[in-house]
Every structure is written in structure tokens, then in C-alpha cells.
Amino acid sequence: MRTKSKDKELNHRHFVAVRLTDVELNLLDQGATCFSISRSEYLRKLLLEKQINHQIKVVADMNDLRKLVSEYGKIGSNLNQIAKHFNSGGSQSRAIENEIHQCITDLFLLRKEVLKLAGGMNGNRKTH
């Protein structure tokens, strides 16, 4: 029979469900069997005793990045010229409206290219 302090110590009140592949479940079972403990106890040991190092490796093509930085610079220069025109009392014309729309379009296209190079939001690098 357990003592009251032992009952309090082992009172795991929270339940967490995790979906695993067959391979992951097999690894979990092997680890638990190796220590002759339950899956739950094995997972607790991993959580409490093992430190997991998370590393992010950044891989970039410097030539592509230089091109993108150059494009951002050109678009920024165009926008500065447009701002200067308006700030100096210049009138709005169809040509300036078209230039503004072109700058915005260029920025969105450039953003799309950056995401493509970075592998989108998932971190998956796409090949050309």
C-alpha cells in the first residue's frame, strides 16, 4: 500500500494526447522497454531529464540576396523621389499614380521572391 506522500507525488492530473507515426511509436516503445518503464513514465523522463537542443541552420545564396537588396534599394529610391515631389508641392498626375502602383507591385513581387528563396513560411527551401 502506498503512503499518502507517495500518492501525492504520483498524482498526474493532466492528460496530454499526442499522435505518432508507426515509426515514432516504435521508438517510444523501444525506449520505454529499455528502461522497463511505461510509455508515460518514459516521456516524463525525457521531458524532465533530457535537454533538447533546437538549432536553426540558415542557408542563403548570397548572389540572390545581393540582387534582392539592390532591387529594394531601387524601389526605395523611386518612392523617395515620389515623396519628394509631393512634399515640394508637386501636383498629382496619372504618371505619378502609375509609378506608385508600379512600386507597390514591385514590392509584392520582391516579397514573393524572398519567401520563395526562404522556402515560404514552412522553412522548406524550394529548388529552381
Side-chain angles (χ1 to χ4, degrees):
M1 183 167 188
R2 291 188 185 147
T3 64
K4 288 189 179 201
S5 63
K6 189 72 167 173
D7 283 339
K8 284 184 182 180
E9 181 183 322
L10 295 177
N11 186 9
H12 301 289
R13 296 179 296 138
H14 304 283
F15 176 80
V16 177
V18 178
R19 292 186 180 275
L20 301 174
T21 65
D22 291 340
V23 172
E24 292 166 337
L25 182 62
N26 190 22
L27 289 171
L28 175 62
D29 287 339
Q30 286 177 14
T33 302
C34 190
F35 288 100
S36 300
I37 56 178
S38 69
R39 288 177 180 167
S40 295
E41 188 60 29
Y42 181 70
L43 289 172
R44 276 188 218 98
K45 281 185 165 296
L46 285 175
L47 180 67
L48 297 172
E49 297 174 10
K50 184 175 181 178
Q51 187 173 8
I52 299 172
N53 295 321
H54 180 71
Q55 295 179 347
I56 298 173
K57 186 176 180 181
V58 177
V59 180
D61 183 337
M62 293 308 291
N63 289 330
D64 287 343
L65 289 175
R66 282 187 191 100
K67 286 182 205 174
L68 291 172
V69 168
S70 173
E71 287 298 315
Y72 273 121
K74 291 175 187 174
I75 294 167
S77 178
N78 288 348
L79 288 172
N80 282 337
Q81 289 173 14
I82 293 167
K84 182 178 178 182
H85 172 78
F86 285 125
N87 289 334
S88 64
S91 62
Q92 185 175 355
S93 69
R94 190 70 175 145
I96 293 195
E97 274 188 52
N98 289 340
E99 184 68 22
I100 292 169
H101 288 293
Q102 186 59 50
C103 286
I104 292 169
T105 301
D106 291 346
L107 284 171
F108 277 105
L109 290 173
L110 212 48
R111 178 182 179 270
K112 187 177 180 180
E113 186 65 24
V114 168
L115 289 175
K116 188 170 117 183
L117 288 173
M121 301 302 241
N122 302 333
N124 300 324
R125 181 162 167 81
K126 297 178 183 175
T127 56
H128 302 300

mmCIF file with all atom_site columns, all heavy atoms in Angstrom, residues 26-52:
data_model
loop_
_atom_site.group_PDB
_atom_site.id
_atom_site.type_symbol
_atom_site.label_atom_id
_atom_site.label_alt_id
_atom_site.label_comp_id
_atom_site.label_asym_id
_atom_site.label_entity_id
_atom_site.label_seq_id
_atom_site.pdbx_PDB_ins_code
_atom_site.Cartn_x
_atom_site.Cartn_y
_atom_site.Cartn_z
_atom_site.occupancy
_atom_site.B_iso_or_equiv
_atom_site.pdbx_formal_charge
_atom_site.auth_seq_id
_atom_site.auth_comp_id
_atom_site.auth_asym_id
_atom_site.auth_atom_id
_atom_site.pdbx_PDB_model_num
ATOM 1   N N   . ASN A 1 26 ? 7.081  3.125  -32.354 1.00 0.00 ? 26 ASN A N   1
ATOM 2   C CA  . ASN A 1 26 ? 8.061  2.050  -32.164 1.00 0.00 ? 26 ASN A CA  1
ATOM 3   C C   . ASN A 1 26 ? 9.263  2.549  -31.365 1.00 0.00 ? 26 ASN A C   1
ATOM 4   O O   . ASN A 1 26 ? 9.735  1.872  -30.453 1.00 0.00 ? 26 ASN A O   1
ATOM 5   C CB  . ASN A 1 26 ? 8.487  1.496  -33.527 1.00 0.00 ? 26 ASN A CB  1
ATOM 6   C CG  . ASN A 1 26 ? 9.312  0.238  -33.395 1.00 0.00 ? 26 ASN A CG  1
ATOM 7   O OD1 . ASN A 1 26 ? 9.250  -0.461 -32.388 1.00 0.00 ? 26 ASN A OD1 1
ATOM 8   N ND2 . ASN A 1 26 ? 10.102 -0.043 -34.416 1.00 0.00 ? 26 ASN A ND2 1
ATOM 9   N N   . LEU A 1 27 ? 9.743  3.752  -31.698 1.00 0.00 ? 27 LEU A N   1
ATOM 10  C CA  . LEU A 1 27 ? 10.866 4.327  -30.951 1.00 0.00 ? 27 LEU A CA  1
ATOM 11  C C   . LEU A 1 27 ? 10.495 4.584  -29.494 1.00 0.00 ? 27 LEU A C   1
ATOM 12  O O   . LEU A 1 27 ? 11.294 4.342  -28.580 1.00 0.00 ? 27 LEU A O   1
ATOM 13  C CB  . LEU A 1 27 ? 11.340 5.629  -31.609 1.00 0.00 ? 27 LEU A CB  1
ATOM 14  C CG  . LEU A 1 27 ? 12.069 5.489  -32.933 1.00 0.00 ? 27 LEU A CG  1
ATOM 15  C CD1 . LEU A 1 27 ? 12.281 6.863  -33.567 1.00 0.00 ? 27 LEU A CD1 1
ATOM 16  C CD2 . LEU A 1 27 ? 13.396 4.777  -32.742 1.00 0.00 ? 27 LEU A CD2 1
ATOM 17  N N   . LEU A 1 28 ? 9.284  5.066  -29.273 1.00 0.00 ? 28 LEU A N   1
ATOM 18  C CA  . LEU A 1 28 ? 8.809  5.307  -27.908 1.00 0.00 ? 28 LEU A CA  1
ATOM 19  C C   . LEU A 1 28 ? 8.751  3.997  -27.131 1.00 0.00 ? 28 LEU A C   1
ATOM 20  O O   . LEU A 1 28 ? 9.230  3.911  -25.992 1.00 0.00 ? 28 LEU A O   1
ATOM 21  C CB  . LEU A 1 28 ? 7.426  5.969  -27.941 1.00 0.00 ? 28 LEU A CB  1
ATOM 22  C CG  . LEU A 1 28 ? 6.731  6.173  -26.602 1.00 0.00 ? 28 LEU A CG  1
ATOM 23  C CD1 . LEU A 1 28 ? 7.537  7.101  -25.704 1.00 0.00 ? 28 LEU A CD1 1
ATOM 24  C CD2 . LEU A 1 28 ? 5.330  6.723  -26.823 1.00 0.00 ? 28 LEU A CD2 1
ATOM 25  N N   . ASP A 1 29 ? 8.196  2.967  -27.751 1.00 0.00 ? 29 ASP A N   1
ATOM 26  C CA  . ASP A 1 29 ? 8.103  1.658  -27.093 1.00 0.00 ? 29 ASP A CA  1
ATOM 27  C C   . ASP A 1 29 ? 9.480  1.070  -26.802 1.00 0.00 ? 29 ASP A C   1
ATOM 28  O O   . ASP A 1 29 ? 9.710  0.512  -25.729 1.00 0.00 ? 29 ASP A O   1
ATOM 29  C CB  . ASP A 1 29 ? 7.283  0.687  -27.941 1.00 0.00 ? 29 ASP A CB  1
ATOM 30  C CG  . ASP A 1 29 ? 5.791  1.006  -27.921 1.00 0.00 ? 29 ASP A CG  1
ATOM 31  O OD1 . ASP A 1 29 ? 5.336  1.694  -26.980 1.00 0.00 ? 29 ASP A OD1 1
ATOM 32  O OD2 . ASP A 1 29 ? 5.085  0.589  -28.864 1.00 0.00 ? 29 ASP A OD2 1
ATOM 33  N N   . GLN A 1 30 ? 10.406 1.195  -27.746 1.00 0.00 ? 30 GLN A N   1
ATOM 34  C CA  . GLN A 1 30 ? 11.761 0.692  -27.527 1.00 0.00 ? 30 GLN A CA  1
ATOM 35  C C   . GLN A 1 30 ? 12.433 1.398  -26.356 1.00 0.00 ? 30 GLN A C   1
ATOM 36  O O   . GLN A 1 30 ? 13.084 0.762  -25.527 1.00 0.00 ? 30 GLN A O   1
ATOM 37  C CB  . GLN A 1 30 ? 12.607 0.872  -28.780 1.00 0.00 ? 30 GLN A CB  1
ATOM 38  C CG  . GLN A 1 30 ? 12.286 -0.084 -29.903 1.00 0.00 ? 30 GLN A CG  1
ATOM 39  C CD  . GLN A 1 30 ? 13.114 0.188  -31.150 1.00 0.00 ? 30 GLN A CD  1
ATOM 40  O OE1 . GLN A 1 30 ? 14.095 0.907  -31.116 1.00 0.00 ? 30 GLN A OE1 1
ATOM 41  N NE2 . GLN A 1 30 ? 12.697 -0.371 -32.271 1.00 0.00 ? 30 GLN A NE2 1
ATOM 42  N N   . GLY A 1 31 ? 12.269 2.714  -26.291 1.00 0.00 ? 31 GLY A N   1
ATOM 43  C CA  . GLY A 1 31 ? 12.870 3.476  -25.197 1.00 0.00 ? 31 GLY A CA  1
ATOM 44  C C   . GLY A 1 31 ? 12.289 3.088  -23.851 1.00 0.00 ? 31 GLY A C   1
ATOM 45  O O   . GLY A 1 31 ? 13.026 2.909  -22.868 1.00 0.00 ? 31 GLY A O   1
ATOM 46  N N   . ALA A 1 32 ? 10.971 2.955  -23.795 1.00 0.00 ? 32 ALA A N   1
ATOM 47  C CA  . ALA A 1 32 ? 10.319 2.574  -22.540 1.00 0.00 ? 32 ALA A CA  1
ATOM 48  C C   . ALA A 1 32 ? 10.720 1.167  -22.132 1.00 0.00 ? 32 ALA A C   1
ATOM 49  O O   . ALA A 1 32 ? 10.994 0.902  -20.953 1.00 0.00 ? 32 ALA A O   1
ATOM 50  C CB  . ALA A 1 32 ? 8.801  2.686  -22.689 1.00 0.00 ? 32 ALA A CB  1
ATOM 51  N N   . THR A 1 33 ? 10.778 0.245  -23.086 1.00 0.00 ? 33 THR A N   1
ATOM 52  C CA  . THR A 1 33 ? 11.160 -1.135 -22.803 1.00 0.00 ? 33 THR A CA  1
ATOM 53  C C   . THR A 1 33 ? 12.599 -1.214 -22.303 1.00 0.00 ? 33 THR A C   1
ATOM 54  O O   . THR A 1 33 ? 12.907 -1.978 -21.382 1.00 0.00 ? 33 THR A O   1
ATOM 55  C CB  . THR A 1 33 ? 11.000 -2.003 -24.071 1.00 0.00 ? 33 THR A CB  1
ATOM 56  O OG1 . THR A 1 33 ? 9.648  -1.932 -24.504 1.00 0.00 ? 33 THR A OG1 1
ATOM 57  C CG2 . THR A 1 33 ? 11.382 -3.449 -23.810 1.00 0.00 ? 33 THR A CG2 1
ATOM 58  N N   . CYS A 1 34 ? 13.456 -0.412 -22.883 1.00 0.00 ? 34 CYS A N   1
ATOM 59  C CA  . CYS A 1 34 ? 14.863 -0.393 -22.495 1.00 0.00 ? 34 CYS A CA  1
ATOM 60  C C   . CYS A 1 34 ? 15.029 -0.069 -21.003 1.00 0.00 ? 34 CYS A C   1
ATOM 61  O O   . CYS A 1 34 ? 15.894 -0.623 -20.336 1.00 0.00 ? 34 CYS A O   1
ATOM 62  C CB  . CYS A 1 34 ? 15.593 0.633  -23.352 1.00 0.00 ? 34 CYS A CB  1
ATOM 63  S SG  . CYS A 1 34 ? 17.380 0.585  -23.195 1.00 0.00 ? 34 CYS A SG  1
ATOM 64  N N   . PHE A 1 35 ? 14.168 0.806  -20.477 1.00 0.00 ? 35 PHE A N   1
ATOM 65  C CA  . PHE A 1 35 ? 14.242 1.188  -19.061 1.00 0.00 ? 35 PHE A CA  1
ATOM 66  C C   . PHE A 1 35 ? 13.247 0.407  -18.202 1.00 0.00 ? 35 PHE A C   1
ATOM 67  O O   . PHE A 1 35 ? 13.146 0.640  -16.995 1.00 0.00 ? 35 PHE A O   1
ATOM 68  C CB  . PHE A 1 35 ? 13.959 2.687  -18.896 1.00 0.00 ? 35 PHE A CB  1
ATOM 69  C CG  . PHE A 1 35 ? 15.076 3.552  -19.402 1.00 0.00 ? 35 PHE A CG  1
ATOM 70  C CD1 . PHE A 1 35 ? 14.992 4.157  -20.641 1.00 0.00 ? 35 PHE A CD1 1
ATOM 71  C CD2 . PHE A 1 35 ? 16.216 3.762  -18.643 1.00 0.00 ? 35 PHE A CD2 1
ATOM 72  C CE1 . PHE A 1 35 ? 16.015 4.956  -21.113 1.00 0.00 ? 35 PHE A CE1 1
ATOM 73  C CE2 . PHE A 1 35 ? 17.248 4.555  -19.097 1.00 0.00 ? 35 PHE A CE2 1
ATOM 74  C CZ  . PHE A 1 35 ? 17.149 5.158  -20.338 1.00 0.00 ? 35 PHE A CZ  1
ATOM 75  N N   . SER A 1 36 ? 12.478 -0.481 -18.834 1.00 0.00 ? 36 SER A N   1
ATOM 76  C CA  . SER A 1 36 ? 11.446 -1.273 -18.144 1.00 0.00 ? 36 SER A CA  1
ATOM 77  C C   . SER A 1 36 ? 10.449 -0.372 -17.426 1.00 0.00 ? 36 SER A C   1
ATOM 78  O O   . SER A 1 36 ? 10.105 -0.594 -16.250 1.00 0.00 ? 36 SER A O   1
ATOM 79  C CB  . SER A 1 36 ? 12.088 -2.252 -17.142 1.00 0.00 ? 36 SER A CB  1
ATOM 80  O OG  . SER A 1 36 ? 12.942 -3.135 -17.814 1.00 0.00 ? 36 SER A OG  1
ATOM 81  N N   . ILE A 1 37 ? 10.006 0.660  -18.118 1.00 0.00 ? 37 ILE A N   1
ATOM 82  C CA  . ILE A 1 37 ? 9.010  1.575  -17.567 1.00 0.00 ? 37 ILE A CA  1
ATOM 83  C C   . ILE A 1 37 ? 7.903  1.791  -18.603 1.00 0.00 ? 37 ILE A C   1
ATOM 84  O O   . ILE A 1 37 ? 8.042  1.405  -19.760 1.00 0.00 ? 37 ILE A O   1
ATOM 85  C CB  . ILE A 1 37 ? 9.633  2.943  -17.173 1.00 0.00 ? 37 ILE A CB  1
ATOM 86  C CG1 . ILE A 1 37 ? 10.356 3.592  -18.359 1.00 0.00 ? 37 ILE A CG1 1
ATOM 87  C CG2 . ILE A 1 37 ? 10.576 2.792  -15.991 1.00 0.00 ? 37 ILE A CG2 1
ATOM 88  C CD1 . ILE A 1 37 ? 10.942 4.966  -18.064 1.00 0.00 ? 37 ILE A CD1 1
ATOM 89  N N   . SER A 1 38 ? 6.829  2.419  -18.154 1.00 0.00 ? 38 SER A N   1
ATOM 90  C CA  . SER A 1 38 ? 5.696  2.666  -19.054 1.00 0.00 ? 38 SER A CA  1
ATOM 91  C C   . SER A 1 38 ? 6.036  3.771  -20.047 1.00 0.00 ? 38 SER A C   1
ATOM 92  O O   . SER A 1 38 ? 6.993  4.526  -19.860 1.00 0.00 ? 38 SER A O   1
ATOM 93  C CB  . SER A 1 38 ? 4.466  3.074  -18.242 1.00 0.00 ? 38 SER A CB  1
ATOM 94  O OG  . SER A 1 38 ? 4.680  4.360  -17.675 1.00 0.00 ? 38 SER A OG  1
ATOM 95  N N   . ARG A 1 39 ? 5.228  3.873  -21.096 1.00 0.00 ? 39 ARG A N   1
ATOM 96  C CA  . ARG A 1 39 ? 5.392  4.954  -22.077 1.00 0.00 ? 39 ARG A CA  1
ATOM 97  C C   . ARG A 1 39 ? 5.308  6.312  -21.381 1.00 0.00 ? 39 ARG A C   1
ATOM 98  O O   . ARG A 1 39 ? 6.106  7.208  -21.640 1.00 0.00 ? 39 ARG A O   1
ATOM 99  C CB  . ARG A 1 39 ? 4.292  4.895  -23.131 1.00 0.00 ? 39 ARG A CB  1
ATOM 100 C CG  . ARG A 1 39 ? 4.393  3.774  -24.107 1.00 0.00 ? 39 ARG A CG  1
ATOM 101 C CD  . ARG A 1 39 ? 3.180  3.826  -25.023 1.00 0.00 ? 39 ARG A CD  1
ATOM 102 N NE  . ARG A 1 39 ? 3.202  2.771  -26.016 1.00 0.00 ? 39 ARG A NE  1
ATOM 103 C CZ  . ARG A 1 39 ? 2.167  2.448  -26.767 1.00 0.00 ? 39 ARG A CZ  1
ATOM 104 N NH1 . ARG A 1 39 ? 1.024  3.101  -26.633 1.00 0.00 ? 39 ARG A NH1 1
ATOM 105 N NH2 . ARG A 1 39 ? 2.270  1.484  -27.654 1.00 0.00 ? 39 ARG A NH2 1
ATOM 106 N N   . SER A 1 40 ? 4.310  6.448  -20.506 1.00 0.00 ? 40 SER A N   1
ATOM 107 C CA  . SER A 1 40 ? 4.109  7.726  -19.819 1.00 0.00 ? 40 SER A CA  1
ATOM 108 C C   . SER A 1 40 ? 5.325  8.107  -18.981 1.00 0.00 ? 40 SER A C   1
ATOM 109 O O   . SER A 1 40 ? 5.778  9.248  -19.009 1.00 0.00 ? 40 SER A O   1
ATOM 110 C CB  . SER A 1 40 ? 2.872  7.667  -18.914 1.00 0.00 ? 40 SER A CB  1
ATOM 111 O OG  . SER A 1 40 ? 1.713  7.497  -19.680 1.00 0.00 ? 40 SER A OG  1
ATOM 112 N N   . GLU A 1 41 ? 5.830  7.138  -18.242 1.00 0.00 ? 41 GLU A N   1
ATOM 113 C CA  . GLU A 1 41 ? 6.997  7.427  -17.398 1.00 0.00 ? 41 GLU A CA  1
ATOM 114 C C   . GLU A 1 41 ? 8.225  7.742  -18.250 1.00 0.00 ? 41 GLU A C   1
ATOM 115 O O   . GLU A 1 41 ? 9.014  8.630  -17.931 1.00 0.00 ? 41 GLU A O   1
ATOM 116 C CB  . GLU A 1 41 ? 7.283  6.238  -16.471 1.00 0.00 ? 41 GLU A CB  1
ATOM 117 C CG  . GLU A 1 41 ? 8.345  6.516  -15.424 1.00 0.00 ? 41 GLU A CG  1
ATOM 118 C CD  . GLU A 1 41 ? 7.980  7.662  -14.480 1.00 0.00 ? 41 GLU A CD  1
ATOM 119 O OE1 . GLU A 1 41 ? 6.786  7.901  -14.241 1.00 0.00 ? 41 GLU A OE1 1
ATOM 120 O OE2 . GLU A 1 41 ? 8.917  8.337  -13.997 1.00 0.00 ? 41 GLU A OE2 1
ATOM 121 N N   . TYR A 1 42 ? 8.369  7.047  -19.364 1.00 0.00 ? 42 TYR A N   1
ATOM 122 C CA  . TYR A 1 42 ? 9.487  7.315  -20.272 1.00 0.00 ? 42 TYR A CA  1
ATOM 123 C C   . TYR A 1 42 ? 9.402  8.735  -20.828 1.00 0.00 ? 42 TYR A C   1
ATOM 124 O O   . TYR A 1 42 ? 10.394 9.472  -20.858 1.00 0.00 ? 42 TYR A O   1
ATOM 125 C CB  . TYR A 1 42 ? 9.496  6.283  -21.405 1.00 0.00 ? 42 TYR A CB  1
ATOM 126 C CG  . TYR A 1 42 ? 10.623 6.460  -22.374 1.00 0.00 ? 42 TYR A CG  1
ATOM 127 C CD1 . TYR A 1 42 ? 11.945 6.198  -22.001 1.00 0.00 ? 42 TYR A CD1 1
ATOM 128 C CD2 . TYR A 1 42 ? 10.382 6.892  -23.672 1.00 0.00 ? 42 TYR A CD2 1
ATOM 129 C CE1 . TYR A 1 42 ? 12.990 6.364  -22.898 1.00 0.00 ? 42 TYR A CE1 1
ATOM 130 C CE2 . TYR A 1 42 ? 11.418 7.059  -24.577 1.00 0.00 ? 42 TYR A CE2 1
ATOM 131 C CZ  . TYR A 1 42 ? 12.720 6.793  -24.182 1.00 0.00 ? 42 TYR A CZ  1
ATOM 132 O OH  . TYR A 1 42 ? 13.762 6.963  -25.065 1.00 0.00 ? 42 TYR A OH  1
ATOM 133 N N   . LEU A 1 43 ? 8.206  9.145  -21.251 1.00 0.00 ? 43 LEU A N   1
ATOM 134 C CA  . LEU A 1 43 ? 8.031  10.505 -21.764 1.00 0.00 ? 43 LEU A CA  1
ATOM 135 C C   . LEU A 1 43 ? 8.298  11.548 -20.675 1.00 0.00 ? 43 LEU A C   1
ATOM 136 O O   . LEU A 1 43 ? 8.893  12.588 -20.939 1.00 0.00 ? 43 LEU A O   1
ATOM 137 C CB  . LEU A 1 43 ? 6.628  10.679 -22.348 1.00 0.00 ? 43 LEU A CB  1
ATOM 138 C CG  . LEU A 1 43 ? 6.381  9.948  -23.668 1.00 0.00 ? 43 LEU A CG  1
ATOM 139 C CD1 . LEU A 1 43 ? 4.909  10.019 -24.054 1.00 0.00 ? 43 LEU A CD1 1
ATOM 140 C CD2 . LEU A 1 43 ? 7.251  10.523 -24.778 1.00 0.00 ? 43 LEU A CD2 1
ATOM 141 N N   . ARG A 1 44 ? 7.858  11.256 -19.447 1.00 0.00 ? 44 ARG A N   1
ATOM 142 C CA  . ARG A 1 44 ? 8.144  12.185 -18.340 1.00 0.00 ? 44 ARG A CA  1
ATOM 143 C C   . ARG A 1 44 ? 9.644  12.313 -18.121 1.00 0.00 ? 44 ARG A C   1
ATOM 144 O O   . ARG A 1 44 ? 10.167 13.403 -17.905 1.00 0.00 ? 44 ARG A O   1
ATOM 145 C CB  . ARG A 1 44 ? 7.463  11.717 -17.059 1.00 0.00 ? 44 ARG A CB  1
ATOM 146 C CG  . ARG A 1 44 ? 6.038  12.127 -16.943 1.00 0.00 ? 44 ARG A CG  1
ATOM 147 C CD  . ARG A 1 44 ? 5.474  11.792 -15.551 1.00 0.00 ? 44 ARG A CD  1
ATOM 148 N NE  . ARG A 1 44 ? 4.114  11.360 -15.735 1.00 0.00 ? 44 ARG A NE  1
ATOM 149 C CZ  . ARG A 1 44 ? 3.701  10.092 -15.798 1.00 0.00 ? 44 ARG A CZ  1
ATOM 150 N NH1 . ARG A 1 44 ? 4.530  9.102  -15.627 1.00 0.00 ? 44 ARG A NH1 1
ATOM 151 N NH2 . ARG A 1 44 ? 2.443  9.820  -16.018 1.00 0.00 ? 44 ARG A NH2 1
ATOM 152 N N   . LYS A 1 45 ? 10.349 11.173 -18.175 1.00 0.00 ? 45 LYS A N   1
ATOM 153 C CA  . LYS A 1 45 ? 11.800 11.212 -18.005 1.00 0.00 ? 45 LYS A CA  1
ATOM 154 C C   . LYS A 1 45 ? 12.456 12.052 -19.099 1.00 0.00 ? 45 LYS A C   1
ATOM 155 O O   . LYS A 1 45 ? 13.347 12.839 -18.831 1.00 0.00 ? 45 LYS A O   1
ATOM 156 C CB  . LYS A 1 45 ? 12.391 9.792  -18.006 1.00 0.00 ? 45 LYS A CB  1
ATOM 157 C CG  . LYS A 1 45 ? 12.242 9.046  -16.713 1.00 0.00 ? 45 LYS A CG  1
ATOM 158 C CD  . LYS A 1 45 ? 12.981 7.722  -16.802 1.00 0.00 ? 45 LYS A CD  1
ATOM 159 C CE  . LYS A 1 45 ? 13.171 7.093  -15.453 1.00 0.00 ? 45 LYS A CE  1
ATOM 160 N NZ  . LYS A 1 45 ? 14.002 7.884  -14.569 1.00 0.00 ? 45 LYS A NZ  1
ATOM 161 N N   . LEU A 1 46 ? 12.017 11.855 -20.341 1.00 0.00 ? 46 LEU A N   1
ATOM 162 C CA  . LEU A 1 46 ? 12.559 12.656 -21.447 1.00 0.00 ? 46 LEU A CA  1
ATOM 163 C C   . LEU A 1 46 ? 12.299 14.140 -21.219 1.00 0.00 ? 46 LEU A C   1
ATOM 164 O O   . LEU A 1 46 ? 13.173 14.977 -21.432 1.00 0.00 ? 46 LEU A O   1
ATOM 165 C CB  . LEU A 1 46 ? 11.949 12.225 -22.776 1.00 0.00 ? 46 LEU A CB  1
ATOM 166 C CG  . LEU A 1 46 ? 12.439 10.917 -23.371 1.00 0.00 ? 46 LEU A CG  1
ATOM 167 C CD1 . LEU A 1 46 ? 11.646 10.581 -24.629 1.00 0.00 ? 46 LEU A CD1 1
ATOM 168 C CD2 . LEU A 1 46 ? 13.913 10.990 -23.702 1.00 0.00 ? 46 LEU A CD2 1
ATOM 169 N N   . LEU A 1 47 ? 11.105 14.437 -20.777 1.00 0.00 ? 47 LEU A N   1
ATOM 170 C CA  . LEU A 1 47 ? 10.723 15.832 -20.564 1.00 0.00 ? 47 LEU A CA  1
ATOM 171 C C   . LEU A 1 47 ? 11.519 16.464 -19.423 1.00 0.00 ? 47 LEU A C   1
ATOM 172 O O   . LEU A 1 47 ? 11.983 17.591 -19.533 1.00 0.00 ? 47 LEU A O   1
ATOM 173 C CB  . LEU A 1 47 ? 9.220  15.912 -20.258 1.00 0.00 ? 47 LEU A CB  1
ATOM 174 C CG  . LEU A 1 47 ? 8.646  17.285 -20.014 1.00 0.00 ? 47 LEU A CG  1
ATOM 175 C CD1 . LEU A 1 47 ? 8.710  18.107 -21.301 1.00 0.00 ? 47 LEU A CD1 1
ATOM 176 C CD2 . LEU A 1 47 ? 7.214  17.183 -19.537 1.00 0.00 ? 47 LEU A CD2 1
ATOM 177 N N   . LEU A 1 48 ? 11.698 15.744 -18.353 1.00 0.00 ? 48 LEU A N   1
ATOM 178 C CA  . LEU A 1 48 ? 12.317 16.307 -17.162 1.00 0.00 ? 48 LEU A CA  1
ATOM 179 C C   . LEU A 1 48 ? 13.834 16.171 -17.112 1.00 0.00 ? 48 LEU A C   1
ATOM 180 O O   . LEU A 1 48 ? 14.508 16.988 -16.502 1.00 0.00 ? 48 LEU A O   1
ATOM 181 C CB  . LEU A 1 48 ? 11.721 15.661 -15.902 1.00 0.00 ? 48 LEU A CB  1
ATOM 182 C CG  . LEU A 1 48 ? 10.219 15.905 -15.710 1.00 0.00 ? 48 LEU A CG  1
ATOM 183 C CD1 . LEU A 1 48 ? 9.699  15.071 -14.550 1.00 0.00 ? 48 LEU A CD1 1
ATOM 184 C CD2 . LEU A 1 48 ? 9.935  17.377 -15.501 1.00 0.00 ? 48 LEU A CD2 1
ATOM 185 N N   . GLU A 1 49 ? 14.375 15.138 -17.752 1.00 0.00 ? 49 GLU A N   1
ATOM 186 C CA  . GLU A 1 49 ? 15.798 14.854 -17.588 1.00 0.00 ? 49 GLU A CA  1
ATOM 187 C C   . GLU A 1 49 ? 16.640 15.113 -18.825 1.00 0.00 ? 49 GLU A C   1
ATOM 188 O O   . GLU A 1 49 ? 17.840 15.269 -18.721 1.00 0.00 ? 49 GLU A O   1
ATOM 189 C CB  . GLU A 1 49 ? 15.983 13.396 -17.147 1.00 0.00 ? 49 GLU A CB  1
ATOM 190 C CG  . GLU A 1 49 ? 15.357 13.112 -15.800 1.00 0.00 ? 49 GLU A CG  1
ATOM 191 C CD  . GLU A 1 49 ? 15.409 11.646 -15.429 1.00 0.00 ? 49 GLU A CD  1
ATOM 192 O OE1 . GLU A 1 49 ? 16.102 10.870 -16.121 1.00 0.00 ? 49 GLU A OE1 1
ATOM 193 O OE2 . GLU A 1 49 ? 14.755 11.270 -14.451 1.00 0.00 ? 49 GLU A OE2 1
ATOM 194 N N   . LYS A 1 50 ? 16.045 15.154 -19.983 1.00 0.00 ? 50 LYS A N   1
ATOM 195 C CA  . LYS A 1 50 ? 16.824 15.316 -21.202 1.00 0.00 ? 50 LYS A CA  1
ATOM 196 C C   . LYS A 1 50 ? 16.596 16.705 -21.778 1.00 0.00 ? 50 LYS A C   1
ATOM 197 O O   . LYS A 1 50 ? 15.470 17.131 -21.969 1.00 0.00 ? 50 LYS A O   1
ATOM 198 C CB  . LYS A 1 50 ? 16.451 14.267 -22.243 1.00 0.00 ? 50 LYS A CB  1
ATOM 199 C CG  . LYS A 1 50 ? 17.307 14.345 -23.481 1.00 0.00 ? 50 LYS A CG  1
ATOM 200 C CD  . LYS A 1 50 ? 17.016 13.225 -24.440 1.00 0.00 ? 50 LYS A CD  1
ATOM 201 C CE  . LYS A 1 50 ? 17.928 13.349 -25.641 1.00 0.00 ? 50 LYS A CE  1
ATOM 202 N NZ  . LYS A 1 50 ? 17.736 12.288 -26.582 1.00 0.00 ? 50 LYS A NZ  1
ATOM 203 N N   . GLN A 1 51 ? 17.675 17.376 -22.063 1.00 0.00 ? 51 GLN A N   1
ATOM 204 C CA  . GLN A 1 51 ? 17.582 18.696 -22.665 1.00 0.00 ? 51 GLN A CA  1
ATOM 205 C C   . GLN A 1 51 ? 17.649 18.553 -24.176 1.00 0.00 ? 51 GLN A C   1
ATOM 206 O O   . GLN A 1 51 ? 18.519 17.879 -24.723 1.00 0.00 ? 51 GLN A O   1
ATOM 207 C CB  . GLN A 1 51 ? 18.735 19.574 -22.185 1.00 0.00 ? 51 GLN A CB  1
ATOM 208 C CG  . GLN A 1 51 ? 18.617 21.004 -22.619 1.00 0.00 ? 51 GLN A CG  1
ATOM 209 C CD  . GLN A 1 51 ? 19.683 21.880 -21.980 1.00 0.00 ? 51 GLN A CD  1
ATOM 210 O OE1 . GLN A 1 51 ? 20.582 21.397 -21.329 1.00 0.00 ? 51 GLN A OE1 1
ATOM 211 N NE2 . GLN A 1 51 ? 19.574 23.164 -22.188 1.00 0.00 ? 51 GLN A NE2 1
ATOM 212 N N   . ILE A 1 52 ? 16.719 19.185 -24.855 1.00 0.00 ? 52 ILE A N   1
ATOM 213 C CA  . ILE A 1 52 ? 16.659 19.116 -26.310 1.00 0.00 ? 52 ILE A CA  1
ATOM 214 C C   . ILE A 1 52 ? 17.217 20.414 -26.869 1.00 0.00 ? 52 ILE A C   1
ATOM 215 O O   . ILE A 1 52 ? 16.766 21.492 -26.510 1.00 0.00 ? 52 ILE A O   1
ATOM 216 C CB  . ILE A 1 52 ? 15.219 18.899 -26.800 1.00 0.00 ? 52 ILE A CB  1
ATOM 217 C CG1 . ILE A 1 52 ? 14.682 17.575 -26.260 1.00 0.00 ? 52 ILE A CG1 1
ATOM 218 C CG2 . ILE A 1 52 ? 15.145 18.944 -28.318 1.00 0.00 ? 52 ILE A CG2 1
ATOM 219 C CD1 . ILE A 1 52 ? 13.211 17.353 -26.527 1.00 0.00 ? 52 ILE A CD1 1
#
